[in-house]
Amino acid sequence: MFSRSTKRLKRSAAIAAIAASAALVLSSCSGGLASGGDEGEEETGPIKIGMLAPFSGSEAAFGDYMKFGAQLAINEINADGGIDGRELELITEDDACDATASVAAAQKVVTAGVVASVGGYCSGATLPTLPIFAEANVPMVIPAANSNALVGQGAFMINGTGAQQAEAALTFAKQEGATRVAVLNDQTDYSKDLAVTFIGDAEADGSVEIVLDGAVNPADKDFSANVKSVTDSDPDFVFWTGYYQAGGLLARQLREAGYEGPLLVGDGTVDAQFAAIAGDGFTENVFGTFTKTPDMLEGADQWIADYQEVSGGADPGPYSIQAYDAVRVVAQGMKDAGTTEGTAVHEAIGAIDGLELSSGPLKFTDEGTLTGGGFVIVTVGPEGDFILHDDLQG
Amino acid sequence: MFQLIWNGLFVGSFYALVAIGYSMVYGIIKLLNFAHGDIYMLGAFLSFVVLGGMTGILGIGNLPILLLVLLIAMLLTGGLGVLIERVAYRPLRGSPRLSVLITAVGVSFTLEYAVRQIWGPNPKVFPIRLSGDPIEILGARITVPQIVLMAVAGLLMWILQRYIMHTREGRAMRAIALDQKASLLMGVNVNKVISRTFFIGSALAGAAGVMAAAYYGSIDFLMGFVIGLKAFTAAVIGGIGNLYGAMLGGLVLGLLESFGTNFFGGEWRDVFAFGFLILFLTFRPTGILGERVVERV
């Protein structure tokens, strides 16, 4: 008797649970559909703009740099009266620089009803979100991720691509008179892509010889094995394509092992922390390929002060200004299109001509990349931050 | 060639220091303490904090200050090891070994992400940097800090060896490792000895963390993860539970990595190291110095 009643109780509890979860699924579905389809309600509320960026994981620092940059642009546009009287609202989600997390995050912001996306830091995490945003008819402007795999997929990229960066790196290597080049990557999507493109360019060009194509484990602190293979290959130019955390250590260990030639780093390593990690006296003859940052721009002081107001005192970092620009590009697209409807905004963004960005006046190629790559060569200044060395214009 | 051997021995001495704690804890309570690598990380962060509090006297003489900080950090991480054992492992001592193992993984994540919450996800730059002009010995570039750090590691291991083999407390540890219940019946305070084991093992891992921080100059909240696994590998290679085995295993693993990466490239370093872990577990699970254990009924 007792056992039967508990069994029945269990069964009815199970049915109730199934019913409840079914109801939940249904309601969340219909909620998602309604927010996508019901134009009348959306027309008056704020225009939601989504941003996926890493707020956790090894690249977590960049998430805040991008978020505050985007928020600053949104504050400025809202102070100016918004777009057709509607305010902009930024919705950020953590992609943890991880493909699985980014897919979930993309679905979340789409469900939240965003009409444009201004995120994307890690290329490997950004790539799988492209079809999700495309299916939801959400135009994407990617501020940071720049792997070649992203090109021609319908998204706009306002950071130069890996191909453009590799080109700038090769131009600089030749300018320095390099003949034997060693290339090291840190096995991330971005870093490998840059290394492979650079090596391809160099081989096609034929002017420099690639004496080493190596990779490091970015989680390591000790790179003696890599450093030894570099010194064994006897290069007169080293190109490091990975991020600054390992880059700083690598720079120091290369110097300690006796390599004295120029060290060129990709934009992932161009960060004020680089010099601190490498240490005093280990940043001589270090150069970087980079798209311009706020502190290299004219009249940047005001922008930095505004940024600090939004961020609560923190300084802007890599991609703060690109995220700021991404929001302005999206806003311009919506203004030009006169609507927030995805296809119209996408077309309007593609047609933008001459909007002044940090990297220069904006014009997209047919593939959604910048017509001007905007890559410059920077070097480590006396304060340890990167300063402009050569704009590669002549 | 000599450069390869030197690089291997240098990295290996860090592995050995961390592996000793791993091996001691396993030897005594049969627990794979996955949080051990994070004690190494905490050693680096605690010394970072201690150094932050004494910026005034930095630069007077970095090496003596570093040794002082090393001692402080060893006491702190040792205490922390005891605390972790008390809070997370002791209540589970009677439970199946799997529960304790999972708890250890939990402790590891707790420590990592607590540190991330406090100091942030970015690498921190360590205030003291050991660097010196390299000396050429047999064609290898060797720096003075490398020699000093290896000497400190060697000294710590020598003290530990004396302690375990020639003192009453050391004998108690060896007795518990042999047979916990019998030791208890013979009047050994088992809890106290286990606490002491955690203290010593954690202090050594903390010391390795401080030394790595001062040598490489950058610390981050995940720095203990891989070295924890490497220390486990070193302990297995040498013969887990065996004190000399842990030291030998650390050096052997360092050398294997050094030669392996030279032939296959740096990106193969971890593949190579953990490949050896699998080989050892398959063909010689007792390690180089371990003896075949006879199951007694």
Side-chain angles (χ1 to χ4, degrees):
Chain A
M1 187 63 196
F2 180 73
S3 77
R4 187 185 292 170
S5 72
T6 44
K7 207 180 264 175
R8 193 179 295 158
L9 198 70
K10 265 186 190 164
R11 186 184 296 166
S12 53
I15 292 172
I18 292 169
S21 53
L24 264 177
V25 168
L26 282 175
S27 68
S28 69
C29 271
S30 67
L33 288 172
S35 64
D38 190 358
E39 292 285 324
E41 183 203 2
E42 286 288 303
E43 286 294 337
T44 52
I47 300 173
K48 291 176 181 165
I49 295 182
M51 167 180 267
L52 306 186
F55 295 100
S56 67
S58 58
E59 313 301 323
F62 295 95
D64 280 342
Y65 290 151
M66 287 167 61
K67 181 176 88 179
F68 293 132
Q71 190 61 52
L72 173 58
I74 282 181
N75 290 355
E76 285 180 4
I77 291 163
N78 288 346
D80 257 6
I83 295 173
D84 296 333
R86 290 173 65 190
E87 293 219 317
L88 292 182
E89 183 190 341
L90 185 68
I91 295 179
T92 55
E93 275 297 330
D94 183 14
D95 71 12
C97 195
D98 170 77
T100 323
S102 70
V103 166
Q107 271 149 355
K108 208 166 161 191
V109 296
V110 166
T111 313
V114 301
V115 293
S117 157
V118 294
Y121 171 75
C122 290
S123 300
T126 307
L127 195 57
T129 66
L130 293 176
I132 298 171
F133 285 122
E135 202 171 299
N137 198 13
V138 171
M140 275 181 97
V141 177
I142 302 174
N146 62 356
S147 163
N148 282 331
L150 299 167
V151 175
Q153 311 269 339
F156 296 102
M157 294 160 71
I158 59 171
N159 188 9
T161 59
Q164 288 162 335
Q165 180 159 204
E167 201 183 301
L170 185 61
T171 309
F172 181 68
K174 288 197 284 189
Q175 208 169 294
E176 288 283 300
T179 54
R180 300 170 57 80
V181 180
V183 184
L184 285 174
N185 71 71
D186 70 1
Q187 302 184 69
T188 57
D189 222 25
Y190 145 78
S191 175
K192 261 189 163 158
D193 180 65
L194 182 53
V196 167
T197 319
F198 175 83
I199 291 169
D201 285 2
E203 277 165 0
D205 190 74
S207 53
V208 298
E209 185 192 350
I210 303 296
V211 291
L212 177 78
D213 170 17
V216 309
N217 285 325
D220 282 350
K221 299 263 182 242
D222 188 285
F223 298 118
S224 49
N226 299 95
V227 164
K228 186 168 183 301
S229 58
V230 169
T231 48
D232 283 354
S233 68
D234 188 31
D236 56 11
F237 191 90
V238 174
F239 184 25
W240 159 251
T241 64
Y243 292 105
Y244 73 88
Q245 291 91 335
L249 296 171
L250 188 71
R252 183 191 185 94
Q253 292 175 26
L254 271 175
R255 295 302 185 216
E256 283 188 333
Y259 172 72
E260 282 164 3
L263 171 66
L264 179 68
V265 301
D267 56 353
T269 290
V270 177
D271 185 290
Q273 277 283 307
F274 168 80
I277 292 173
D280 281 343
F282 290 91
T283 51
E284 309 265 314
N285 218 3
V286 173
F287 305 93
T289 48
F290 202 48
T291 39
K292 286 182 189 167
T293 54
D295 45 308
M296 297 172 201
L297 297 172
E298 306 268 321
D301 292 348
Q302 186 53 46
W303 192 87
I304 293 173
D306 292 346
Y307 177 94
Q308 284 167 335
E309 221 160 88
V310 174
S311 70
D315 284 329
Y319 306 111
S320 290
I321 199 140
Q322 279 87 350
Y324 171 84
D325 283 344
V327 172
R328 289 171 55 222
V329 168
V330 164
Q332 187 65 44
M334 287 174 182
K335 271 182 204 156
D336 291 351
T339 169
T340 58
E341 196 276 319
T343 318
V345 174
H346 187 96
E347 272 170 23
I349 293 174
I352 290 176
D353 194 353
L355 177 68
E356 200 59 43
L357 298 187
S358 59
S359 55
L362 175 74
K363 177 86 187 109
F364 284 113
T365 62
D366 290 342
E367 292 191 307
T369 58
L370 295 178
T371 37
F375 274 97
V376 296
I377 298 296
V378 293
T379 188
V380 182
E383 304 284 303
D385 48 347
F386 279 88
I387 52 172
L388 191 63
H389 173 71
D390 185 344
D391 60 7
L392 292 181
Q393 297 302 313
Chain B
M1 180 67 178
F2 188 64
Q3 183 80 59
L4 282 179
I5 296 175
W6 176 257
N7 288 347
L9 289 178
F10 180 67
V11 178
S13 59
F14 286 113
Y15 291 163
L17 270 185
V18 185
I20 284 174
Y22 230 112
S23 209
M24 277 170 62
V25 166
Y26 182 82
I28 288 188
I29 57 171
K30 301 286 175 283
L31 159 69
L32 291 176
N33 183 10
F34 273 112
H36 196 65
D38 298 300
I39 299 280
Y40 164 91
M41 178 270 293
L42 278 171
F45 271 92
L46 290 171
S47 59
F48 174 75
V49 173
V50 172
L51 278 171
M54 46 201 274
T55 42
I57 53 170
L58 282 187
I60 296 172
N62 278 348
L63 210 55
I65 293 178
L66 188 70
L67 290 178
L68 177 69
V69 171
L70 187 79
L71 275 180
I72 299 174
M74 281 175 75
L75 289 177
L76 290 174
T77 50
L80 211 73
V82 173
L83 184 74
I84 289 170
E85 192 271 334
R86 190 79 185 75
V87 173
Y89 301 148
R90 192 175 296 180
L92 291 169
R93 203 172 290 158
S95 342
R97 244 191 254 170
L98 191 63
S99 326
V100 194
L101 189 73
I102 299 297
T103 309
V105 174
V107 170
S108 166
F109 280 120
T110 308
L111 295 178
E112 281 167 14
Y113 287 88
V115 167
R116 198 198 88 138
Q117 243 4 73
I118 298 170
W119 286 285
N122 275 338
K124 293 265 172 246
V125 176
F126 203 69
I128 288 187
R129 294 297 281 266
L130 294 176
S131 60
D133 290 326
I135 319 159
E136 293 263 346
I137 299 177
L138 299 171
R141 294 170 71 94
I142 292 170
T143 61
V144 177
Q146 283 184 325
I147 297 174
V148 172
L149 291 184
M150 280 183 76
V152 172
L155 182 71
L156 288 172
M157 287 189 252
W158 181 75
I159 295 175
L160 178 71
Q161 190 269 343
R162 299 290 297 176
Y163 180 76
I164 291 197
M165 293 301 170
H166 300 278
T167 64
R168 270 176 66 89
E169 289 85 359
R171 200 188 313 149
M173 282 182 192
R174 283 181 286 144
I176 289 180
L178 210 57
D179 190 333
Q180 202 180 110
K181 206 165 272 172
S183 314
L184 190 66
L185 293 172
M186 293 305 288
V188 178
N189 188 339
V190 171
N191 278 339
K192 208 169 155 188
V193 175
I194 291 176
S195 287
R196 196 180 293 140
T197 309
F198 267 88
F199 183 87
I200 296 171
S202 303
L204 290 180
V210 178
M211 282 158 45
Y215 183 73
Y216 296 114
S218 117
I219 59 177
D220 62 80
F221 72 104
L222 282 178
M223 67 189 274
F225 177 70
V226 172
I227 200 152
L229 291 179
K230 291 276 174 71
F232 171 63
T233 309
V236 168
I237 288 179
I240 194 157
N242 183 321
L243 183 66
Y244 299 113
M247 299 180 197
L248 180 71
L251 297 180
V252 168
L253 181 66
L255 287 172
L256 281 175
E257 277 191 5
S258 178
F259 279 89
T261 47
N262 190 48
F263 297 125
F264 299 108
E267 64 270 45
W268 288 92
R269 178 180 180 154
D270 290 355
V271 179
F272 200 73
F274 295 124
F276 264 94
L277 173 65
I278 297 170
L279 282 181
F280 263 89
L281 285 174
T282 313
F283 295 109
R284 196 172 164 82
T286 52
I288 299 173
L289 289 188
E291 278 152 33
R292 204 153 282 282
V293 182
V294 184
E295 284 287 334
R296 272 170 301 211
V297 185

